[in-house]
Amino acid sequence: MLESIKSTDTRTDPYKVYLQEDEIPTAFYNVRADMHTAHAPILHPGTLQPVELADLEPVFCTELAKQELNTTDRYIDIPGAVMDFYRMYRPSPLVRAYYLEKALDTPAKIYYKYEGGNTSGSHKLNSAIAQAYYAKQQGLAGITTETGAGQWGTALAMASVYFGLDLEVYMVKASYEQKPYRKTIMRTYGASITASPSDTTNVGRTMLAEYPDSLGSLGTAISEAVEVALASNGTKRYTLGSVLNQVLLHQSIIGLEAKAALEKLNVYPDIVIGCAGGGSNLGGLMSSYMEDRLAGRKAPYFIAVEPASCPSLTRGRFAYDFCDTGMVTPLAKMYTLGHAFMPSPSHAGGLRYHGMSPILSQLYHDGLLDEARSVEQTEVFEAAVQFARSEGTLPAPESAHAIHATIQEALKCRESGEEKVILFGLTGNGLLDLSAYEQYLTGTMSDTIPTDEDLARGFATIPSLPGIQ
Amino acid sequence: MLESIKSTDTRTDPYKVYLQEDEIPTAFYNVRADMHTAHAPILHPGTLQPVELADLEPVFCTELAKQELNTTDRYIDIPGAVMDFYRMYRPSPLVRAYYLEKALDTPAKIYYKYEGGNTSGSHKLNSAIAQAYYAKQQGLAGITTETGAGQWGTALAMASVYFGLDLEVYMVKASYEQKPYRKTIMRTYGASITASPSDTTNVGRTMLAEYPDSLGSLGTAISEAVEVALASNGTKRYTLGSVLNQVLLHQSIIGLEAKAALEKLNVYPDIVIGCAGGGSNLGGLMSSYMEDRLAGRKAPYFIAVEPASCPSLTRGRFAYDFCDTGMVTPLAKMYTLGHAFMPSPSHAGGLRYHGMSPILSQLYHDGLLDEARSVEQTEVFEAAVQFARSEGTLPAPESAHAIHATIQEALKCRESGEEKVILFGLTGNGLLDLSAYEQYLTGTMSDTIPTDEDLARGFATIPSLPGIQ
């Protein structure tokens, strides 16, 4: 008989740290109250004047509109009924990636905050339940939204059924037809789903008249969902899963929990890494550490990772642009590729938005978000498979962008011998992204990097606003 | 402004109890050492004599073969390298189903042990990693197995890559063609997968010659995987995810953890409910409480729930039968529908096995497993959707059998006013079973109950063994 295989257990930390349920943070952190430079005001698309509460109230629940404009309250209490829901699936685990460290033979200490353990499969549920709560509190009948790959729609369906709200989801037609599974989950949770562009809205009919075969885009789906809310005689409001200040506010729970868990281990990260599409995950993950930086304390080095196919931070312009393709939403000053920029359909997963959270855009512009880098998707999936095989969990393609950068940083530590502490956000699991994995494994996945001409066509759609910077 | 929606938090327990990583049990419980009546010996298919270690060693790793035959050691230490892996995804949470209780308006207290949080999506990983460990320890090059819907194959792929073992999976052709996603996960973890019946084995070629369009069965896939292991010149062994004594041994970790977590709450269940296909989950979940019953202490009422389409306990015969369709495996005395019984292909999910774990069969025969009931699948999915909407987590169809019985028992408590404590096993999540949910939601799911004639055809394949009871 051979020798037993020895345990390789050399833990100094546990693999996973769960806060107690009563240690879940009870207030969101509002980074805007601490920002050195406020982001430029959101502009009304008709008047081009800064929007006020009254402008937002037809679109958003009043309380959420207030949060959108709030630059003064550093902490905002989480309502008790939202805390109830959080306790069903939070705290999410903070995991020490011992096996990835070993596979990389790195002296770096790698931690990740895993948000993919709930049925929606991602961190989107954190904001979905807050948005559903405020809609219910306002006595609304229902809410509308758009969804691309479906994570946000799924999260909002779970949140809506909890509060007994009607939910109408406009789902990008490409996903509606090719990714039926999240549609089924949404229906299981009682949502009604329409493929976008659709004939149920003016925006959709216009788009279909011009492009009858359009497979849709997030921008168009946003326009449709907003139009339906505006046409509801005040009984419904629109909700959005990323980009907005209110979303980053709600997602701050990721960073607050991560910091509380790391403090139990007496660990402070040197580097914080998050994937960035609209900015909801990175904005949330880094919130509690950005608070340190803005207060002038020691802080980590922050890295945003975006897809090379949709490189708003790394190749976009910092300018006012519409948040949607249909130009019905307000304009925000942000890093943008132009509201009509259309990323290649061969790109897997989310992170396909043309713009970036105004908060993150301003922090990046000011050098407070230290670095943005873009990654090609075949490299991303190579990192995803390495992570899956070493750590067990199959990551979402979005999250794998952060994994890729984490591996790069950990390998730098192997070169230099530095024992840096890296925290990254594992925003979701990849169980409903298996067709993308299949493409990668069979060698049929291609990288899709826009040419300068592609970008120029997008930039041409950024509005010129004389007198406004 | 309306009043805030009040928190409904009336917790006496936390929602979720996680043991500390150092509280994960370090030994498996071997119920056979305590059974009042040993199950009848497994018989060699050629000699019809009780199998001995030497008979099993060509098929199973030696250490697993010893476990298969072990009737004396009450506890068997979990190897350190297996504990390492368990700490990556265990302890699994014990959840108090507050929101289901509220939805049912029941005084019952409902707890569930959730095993679906890992990437394999089910409890199968608990035995997969143990089986892979003993194969590696024995110096084997690889292992073979079969998989139906794919949970077991996925779990074994994760376990095999961890120990650097080759894995050949024979996947029932119906699932291989119609459920491509678990196949992709298995490939991500480096497994090679063959649709069964295949032309790579004698059993497969014989089946294909007779039924060229066969979509396969678990029984046939088992035969193929065993044949490949036997033909490997001793470099490979066969592994199985259910039915076997060794599997119930490994799955005892579910019950040991559940009991330890409930003891932290000072709670002892009145009823323990598990779904039952081959018996791995129920056998594991109830293990630690069955220990109480066998010792004559207070114990819960045990309920096994099986599909009406494959009712081995409720309509089967307690008799010696082959464990596979191809009749290459030993014979076990168990509740069986006949090794050639073929459940309707319209049945969703697992639990499609013709037999039942010999341990559970004996316990049921002796009245120690109190009750078995069968449920039709439309009722099962009704329970699944109710659970998903109230508790958040989308359950696997298999697990939803246990949910259905739990709801029945909780509603009885509402009638009687009794505050019974119910513990059930939520064996997995339903994220890769969404086509079945879609069938249910669109009203295209049918119930598939075998007629007496169907059963008679299956029973006719149970071998007649003169002189052997």
Side-chain angles (χ1 to χ4, degrees):
Chain A
M1 178 62 68
L2 299 173
E3 279 290 292
S4 281
I5 303 163
K6 290 287 184 289
S7 165
T8 57
D9 186 9
T10 54
R11 284 174 301 151
T12 48
D13 303 333
Y15 284 92
K16 303 171 293 299
V17 177
Y18 287 97
L19 299 177
Q20 297 296 309
E21 287 170 13
D22 291 335
E23 295 174 320
I24 299 175
T26 58
F28 297 123
Y29 170 59
N30 179 19
V31 69
R32 293 185 77 200
D34 287 335
M35 282 172 71
H36 300 171
T37 310
H39 70 64
I42 307 295
L43 303 184
H44 189 286
T47 65
L48 296 183
Q49 294 300 305
V51 296
E52 296 178 4
L53 186 61
D55 299 316
L56 293 178
E57 282 185 298
V59 179
F60 297 115
C61 303
T62 299
E63 201 59 32
L64 291 166
K66 287 181 185 168
Q67 291 182 356
E68 196 62 29
L69 298 173
N70 190 324
T71 56
T72 52
D73 296 318
R74 298 186 62 241
Y75 282 89
I76 294 176
D77 282 347
I78 303 174
V82 175
M83 290 299 302
D84 291 350
F85 191 88
Y86 280 164
R87 288 193 200 92
M88 285 170 63
Y89 73 99
R90 303 200 69 81
S92 68
L94 177 87
V95 187
R96 172 80 183 267
Y98 279 111
Y99 283 100
L100 180 62
E101 292 172 17
K102 195 174 149 195
L104 299 173
D105 189 22
T106 176
K109 294 178 179 173
I110 303 172
Y111 298 85
Y112 58 92
K113 183 73 170 160
Y114 180 44
E115 294 286 326
N118 68 77
T119 284
S120 81
S122 83
H123 68 295
K124 297 284 182 181
L125 198 51
N126 301 331
S127 185
I129 190 63
Q131 295 191 44
Y133 169 83
Y134 290 114
K136 184 69 180 178
Q137 187 206 15
Q138 195 168 327
L140 299 178
I143 48 183
T144 71
T145 200
E146 84 296 330
T147 199
Q151 287 100 326
W152 168 245
T154 305
L156 201 60
M158 293 175 67
S160 296
V161 81
Y162 182 79
F163 284 122
L165 289 167
D166 283 341
L167 171 62
E168 290 175 70
V169 179
Y170 283 82
M171 187 169 186
V172 176
K173 192 176 281 179
S175 296
Y176 185 92
E177 292 179 351
Q178 292 157 22
K179 298 182 177 178
Y181 292 123
R182 285 209 178 88
K183 191 169 59 182
T184 300
I185 309 184
M186 289 186 256
R187 286 195 172 131
T188 300
Y189 286 92
S192 75
I193 304 152
T194 306
S196 169
S198 77
D199 61 5
T200 66
T201 66
N202 291 327
V203 168
R205 284 186 291 268
T206 303
M207 179 66 79
L208 286 174
E210 195 166 354
Y211 307 103
D213 299 327
S214 167
L215 290 175
S217 69
L218 263 186
T220 303
I222 292 173
S223 305
E224 292 205 90
V226 170
E227 184 181 325
V228 170
L230 288 172
S232 71
N233 292 320
T235 62
K236 298 183 178 178
R237 294 294 186 285
Y238 167 72
T239 62
L240 181 65
S242 190
V243 184
L244 298 176
N245 298 336
Q246 62 189 264
V247 175
L248 266 70
L249 176 72
H250 306 148
Q251 295 295 359
S252 69
I253 195 163
I254 303 173
L256 293 164
E257 271 190 11
K259 195 177 188 187
L262 282 173
E263 281 172 356
K264 283 185 183 262
L265 305 174
N266 289 314
V267 168
Y268 194 92
D270 298 301
I271 304 173
V272 171
I273 299 173
C275 61
S280 71
N281 157 65
L282 176 61
L285 175 69
M286 74 181 192
S287 61
S288 52
Y289 292 106
M290 185 56 77
E291 183 179 8
D292 288 342
R293 166 154 296 169
L294 295 174
R297 294 188 291 266
K298 174 190 170 189
Y301 182 81
F302 298 108
I303 303 175
V305 191
E306 59 184 13
S309 63
C310 197
S312 54
L313 283 173
T314 50
R315 296 175 72 194
R317 293 194 180 155
F318 188 50
Y320 267 110
D321 196 5
F322 290 96
C323 296
D324 69 326
T325 308
M327 299 184 287
V328 302
T329 62
L331 294 91
K333 189 163 181 187
M334 58 184 176
Y335 283 87
T336 178
L337 298 164
H339 60 268
F341 177 81
M342 197 71 79
S344 162
S346 74
H347 178 70
L351 311 183
R352 296 166 58 91
Y353 187 65
H354 68 273
M356 179 57 67
S357 144
I359 292 174
L360 287 196
S361 292
Q362 187 66 46
L363 291 170
Y364 183 56
H365 185 71
D366 294 345
L368 294 162
L369 164 53
D370 298 280
E371 181 185 336
R373 62 178 77 163
S374 71
V375 196
E376 297 177 22
Q377 67 175 344
T378 49
E379 292 178 300
V380 166
F381 275 85
E382 186 183 348
V385 170
Q386 179 168 26
F387 182 82
R389 291 185 178 187
S390 55
E391 286 290 314
T393 299
L394 189 81
E398 296 85 353
S399 322
H401 287 73
I403 293 170
H404 183 274
T406 297
I407 291 174
Q408 285 181 315
E409 295 303 309
L411 292 178
K412 283 187 206 166
C413 288
R414 185 169 71 184
E415 293 292 309
S416 68
E418 289 174 288
E419 292 187 16
K420 286 190 179 172
V421 174
I422 303 171
L423 168 66
F424 77 89
L426 190 68
T427 58
N429 73 58
L431 291 177
L432 295 180
D433 299 289
L434 291 169
S435 54
Y437 275 91
E438 186 69 22
Q439 280 176 38
Y440 172 73
L441 293 171
T442 54
T444 57
M445 173 174 279
S446 58
D447 291 314
T448 55
I449 303 169
T451 63
D452 289 341
E453 290 70 35
D454 294 333
L455 291 186
R457 276 192 295 277
F459 292 149
T461 67
I462 297 175
S464 171
L465 305 176
I468 298 174
Q469 293 196 321
Chain B
M1 180 59 69
L2 300 173
E3 280 289 293
S4 280
I5 303 163
K6 291 286 187 289
S7 166
T8 57
D9 185 8
T10 54
R11 283 174 301 151
T12 50
D13 302 333
Y15 284 92
K16 302 170 294 299
V17 177
Y18 287 97
L19 299 177
Q20 297 297 310
E21 286 169 14
D22 291 334
E23 295 174 321
I24 298 176
T26 57
F28 298 123
Y29 170 59
N30 179 20
V31 68
R32 294 185 77 200
D34 286 334
M35 283 172 71
H36 301 171
T37 310
H39 70 64
I42 307 295
L43 302 184
H44 189 286
T47 65
L48 296 183
Q49 293 300 306
V51 296
E52 296 180 5
L53 187 61
D55 298 316
L56 293 180
E57 283 185 298
V59 179
F60 297 115
C61 302
T62 299
E63 200 59 32
L64 291 166
K66 286 181 185 168
Q67 291 182 357
E68 196 62 29
L69 299 174
N70 190 324
T71 57
T72 52
D73 297 317
R74 298 186 62 242
Y75 282 88
I76 294 176
D77 282 346
I78 303 174
V82 174
M83 290 299 302
D84 291 349
F85 191 88
Y86 280 164
R87 288 192 200 95
M88 285 171 63
Y89 74 99
R90 305 199 69 82
S92 69
L94 177 87
V95 187
R96 173 79 183 267
Y98 279 111
Y99 283 99
L100 180 63
E101 291 172 17
K102 195 174 149 196
L104 298 172
D105 190 24
T106 177
K109 294 178 179 172
I110 303 173
Y111 299 84
Y112 59 91
K113 182 74 171 161
Y114 180 44
E115 295 285 326
N118 68 75
T119 284
S120 81
S122 83
H123 67 295
K124 297 284 184 183
L125 197 51
N126 301 331
S127 185
I129 191 63
Q131 295 190 44
Y133 169 83
Y134 290 114
K136 183 71 180 178
Q137 187 206 15
Q138 195 168 329
L140 299 178
I143 48 182
T144 71
T145 199
E146 83 296 330
T147 198
Q151 287 100 326
W152 169 246
T154 305
L156 201 60
M158 293 174 69
S160 296
V161 83
Y162 182 78
F163 284 121
L165 289 167
D166 283 339
L167 171 61
E168 289 175 70
V169 179
Y170 284 81
M171 187 171 187
V172 176
K173 192 177 281 178
S175 297
Y176 184 93
E177 291 179 351
Q178 292 156 24
K179 299 182 176 177
Y181 292 123
R182 287 210 177 88
K183 192 171 57 183
T184 300
I185 309 183
M186 287 185 258
R187 286 194 174 134
T188 299
Y189 287 91
S192 74
I193 305 154
T194 306
S196 168
S198 77
D199 61 6
T200 65
T201 66
N202 292 325
V203 168
R205 284 186 291 268
T206 304
M207 180 66 78
L208 285 173
E210 194 167 356
Y211 307 103
D213 299 326
S214 167
L215 290 175
S217 69
L218 264 185
T220 303
I222 292 172
S223 305
E224 292 204 89
V226 170
E227 184 180 325
V228 170
L230 288 173
S232 71
N233 291 321
T235 63
K236 298 183 180 180
R237 293 294 186 283
Y238 167 72
T239 63
L240 180 65
S242 192
V243 184
L244 297 175
N245 299 336
Q246 62 189 262
V247 176
L248 266 70
L249 175 72
H250 306 149
Q251 294 295 358
S252 70
I253 195 163
I254 303 173
L256 293 164
E257 271 190 11
K259 195 176 189 188
L262 282 172
E263 281 172 355
K264 284 185 182 264
L265 304 175
N266 288 314
V267 167
Y268 195 91
D270 298 302
I271 305 173
V272 171
I273 299 173
C275 62
S280 72
N281 157 64
L282 177 61
L285 176 68
M286 73 181 193
S287 62
S288 52
Y289 293 106
M290 185 57 76
E291 182 177 10
D292 287 343
R293 166 154 296 168
L294 295 173
R297 296 189 289 266
K298 173 191 170 190
Y301 183 83
F302 299 107
I303 304 176
V305 191
E306 60 184 10
S309 63
C310 197
S312 54
L313 283 172
T314 51
R315 296 175 73 193
R317 292 193 181 156
F318 188 50
Y320 267 109
D321 196 4
F322 291 97
C323 296
D324 69 326
T325 309
M327 300 184 286
V328 302
T329 62
L331 293 93
K333 189 164 182 186
M334 59 184 174
Y335 284 87
T336 178
L337 298 163
H339 61 267
F341 176 81
M342 196 72 79
S344 163
S346 75
H347 178 70
L351 312 182
R352 297 166 58 92
Y353 187 65
H354 68 273
M356 179 58 67
S357 143
I359 292 174
L360 288 196
S361 292
Q362 188 67 45
L363 290 170
Y364 183 55
H365 185 71
D366 294 345
L368 295 162
L369 163 54
D370 298 279
E371 182 185 335
R373 63 179 74 164
S374 70
V375 196
E376 297 177 22
Q377 68 174 343
T378 50
E379 293 178 300
V380 166
F381 275 85
E382 186 183 347
V385 171
Q386 179 168 26
F387 182 82
R389 291 186 178 186
S390 54
E391 287 290 316
T393 299
L394 189 81
E398 297 84 355
S399 321
H401 288 74
I403 294 171
H404 183 274
T406 297
I407 291 174
Q408 286 182 315
E409 294 304 308
L411 292 177
K412 281 186 205 166
C413 288
R414 184 169 74 185
E415 293 291 308
S416 68
E418 289 174 289
E419 293 187 15
K420 285 190 179 172
V421 174
I422 303 171
L423 168 67
F424 77 89
L426 190 68
T427 57
N429 73 59
L431 291 177
L432 295 180
D433 299 288
L434 290 168
S435 55
Y437 275 90
E438 186 69 21
Q439 282 177 36
Y440 172 73
L441 293 170
T442 54
T444 57
M445 174 175 278
S446 59
D447 291 314
T448 53
I449 305 168
T451 62
D452 288 341
E453 290 70 35
D454 294 332
L455 291 186
R457 275 192 295 276
F459 291 149
T461 67
I462 298 174
S464 171
L465 305 176
I468 298 175
Q469 291 198 322

